[in-house]
Amino acid sequence: MIPHDTRFDEEHQYEDTYAGLPVIEMVPHHDVEIPDAGGVALLISCGWGDWDLDEAFDALLNGVDTAKVPALVIGGWEDCYETSSEHIVGRLADAAARFPGLRSLFLGAISSDQAEISWIQQSDVTPLLEAFPRLERLEVRGGTGLELRPVRHESLRVLRFETGGLPAEVVRAVGACDLLALERLDLWLGVQHYGGNATVADLAPILSGERLPALRHLGLQDSEIQDEIVGAVASAPVVARLESLALSMGVLTDAGAEALLGGQPLTHLHTLDLHHHFLTDAMAARVAEALPGVEVDLSGREKPVHDWRYVAVSE
């Protein structure tokens, strides 16, 4: 079971640890001491001109007992002239038989000093789910060029898309997937200017929960239509069996919070994450008072700039 209080920061959450494991970078042409390949998350990335991602991947294949590798972190292709997300997804999918123990995968470990989140060029990530039927955790950073096709997957427990703009086609594909073991789903929906064009209607299959029988955490975050989303969540069937709910990072106002309080009971939740919001003090107090047994995160109260409300992560 995923922990109740798993909180993902907006930046740099994969530099030191991933999936509870220390991160060690594969450095081509150097001896990298890896005492136990089964106890670390291995990072392959471009070396700021010293090596490209293919060389790092080759170092992984040739220098590590890949059968023991439980977690991979992939990033930095933005600095490789002839490497792309599509290329590395293909290489990894082709080598899937070499990684029978892989359970966690993060694609796009690219910090903002390398490329802003909406500058990251992604691709179709469906081959990763098809090639790794025992994968339990897939996290992707960057929404530009991102694609997903509906699949059936019986092992995936965590699915997370971090974007400044998540394409509606990807949202609809998530809703059309049969993810029988999925416990945690996080979608940073972002803004239309960066491709975040999903509507509440696109979220309907997810909110029904019909294809997500094991879901215990739902994050619909970072949206410029956060009030509309919260209004739909207030009556969504999936909410009754959730343990935690994240409606944070967006432009939530008193209108959205009013709809949430007027909807189905939320007292069964362990946590409700609303951080980065535009609630008045009075409404924030009402939310906290209405949910005395729930850990409610109301941190990060923002103020409009000339009536403009902004999401936490966009460019």
Side-chain angles (χ1 to χ4, degrees):
M1 184 68 68
I2 57 173
H4 287 299
D5 58 351
T6 300
R7 169 71 180 273
F8 293 86
D9 296 327
E10 282 90 29
E11 294 285 347
H12 308 305
Q13 63 269 40
Y14 306 103
E15 292 185 344
D16 300 317
T17 63
Y18 177 59
L21 301 170
V23 173
I24 295 180
E25 184 172 9
M26 297 301 304
V27 180
H29 320 304
H30 294 78
D31 292 330
V32 178
E33 184 177 352
I34 302 175
D36 177 15
V40 297
L42 295 178
L43 166 65
I44 59 172
S45 183
C46 284
W48 296 92
D50 294 327
W51 66 84
D52 64 27
L53 204 148
D54 272 320
E55 289 179 290
F57 193 71
D58 289 339
L60 171 65
L61 293 178
N62 298 326
V64 176
D65 184 355
T66 56
K68 296 181 179 180
V69 173
L72 286 177
V73 179
I74 302 173
W77 59 80
E78 299 292 327
D79 295 315
C80 298
Y81 292 110
E82 296 183 0
T83 306
S84 64
S85 169
E86 182 178 14
H87 176 72
I88 196 62
V89 165
R91 284 209 65 184
L92 186 56
D94 289 344
R98 298 277 304 272
F99 295 90
L102 187 67
R103 297 294 179 267
S104 300
L105 174 61
F106 178 57
L107 180 69
I110 301 171
S111 62
S112 59
D113 58 349
Q114 295 174 296
E116 298 292 351
I117 192 168
S118 292
W119 302 355
I120 299 171
Q121 298 293 317
Q122 281 289 357
S123 62
D124 186 356
V125 297
T126 316
L128 297 174
L129 293 172
E130 294 172 334
F132 294 95
R134 300 179 68 186
L135 193 68
E136 297 179 359
R137 181 169 178 159
L138 176 63
E139 294 167 86
V140 180
R141 183 174 176 86
T144 301
L146 181 65
E147 296 180 22
L148 177 72
R149 290 175 278 109
V151 295
R152 179 184 176 90
H153 202 285
E154 299 186 1
S155 301
L156 197 69
R157 297 172 58 232
V158 175
L159 179 62
R160 177 177 175 82
F161 290 111
E162 300 180 356
T163 80
L166 186 62
E169 294 82 1
V170 175
V171 174
R172 290 194 291 269
V174 171
C177 287
D178 289 300
L179 303 174
L180 305 185
L182 195 72
E183 298 177 17
R184 182 182 187 103
L185 174 63
D186 287 289
L187 305 178
W188 292 11
L189 298 164
V191 301
Q192 189 162 6
H193 180 74
Y194 289 108
N197 58 345
T199 66
V200 170
D202 294 321
L203 293 167
I206 294 172
L207 293 175
S208 77
E210 293 179 1
R211 287 187 162 92
L212 303 168
L215 198 68
R216 296 296 176 264
H217 167 88
L218 176 61
L220 300 174
Q221 302 158 268
D222 198 49
S223 178
E224 58 188 349
I225 59 167
Q226 200 74 50
D227 281 352
E228 295 178 44
I229 291 170
V230 170
V233 167
S235 59
V238 73
V239 173
R241 52 185 167 83
L242 296 180
E243 296 173 358
S244 58
L245 176 63
L247 302 168
S248 55
M249 300 169 59
V251 295
L252 180 66
T253 70
D254 284 10
E258 188 74 52
L260 191 65
L261 293 177
Q264 62 189 301
L266 299 175
T267 52
H268 64 288
L269 293 176
H270 183 276
T271 58
L272 174 63
D273 180 6
L274 301 178
H275 85 274
H276 183 98
H277 60 84
F278 292 85
L279 304 184
T280 61
D281 288 343
M283 179 56 75
R286 280 186 59 192
V287 172
E289 291 169 3
L291 302 169
V294 181
E295 181 182 334
V296 183
D297 186 350
L298 287 161
S299 63
R301 181 190 173 197
E302 307 294 329
K303 295 182 179 180
V305 178
H306 303 298
D307 295 327
W308 174 59
R309 296 177 175 87
Y310 45 89
V311 302
V313 176
S314 56
E315 185 177 15

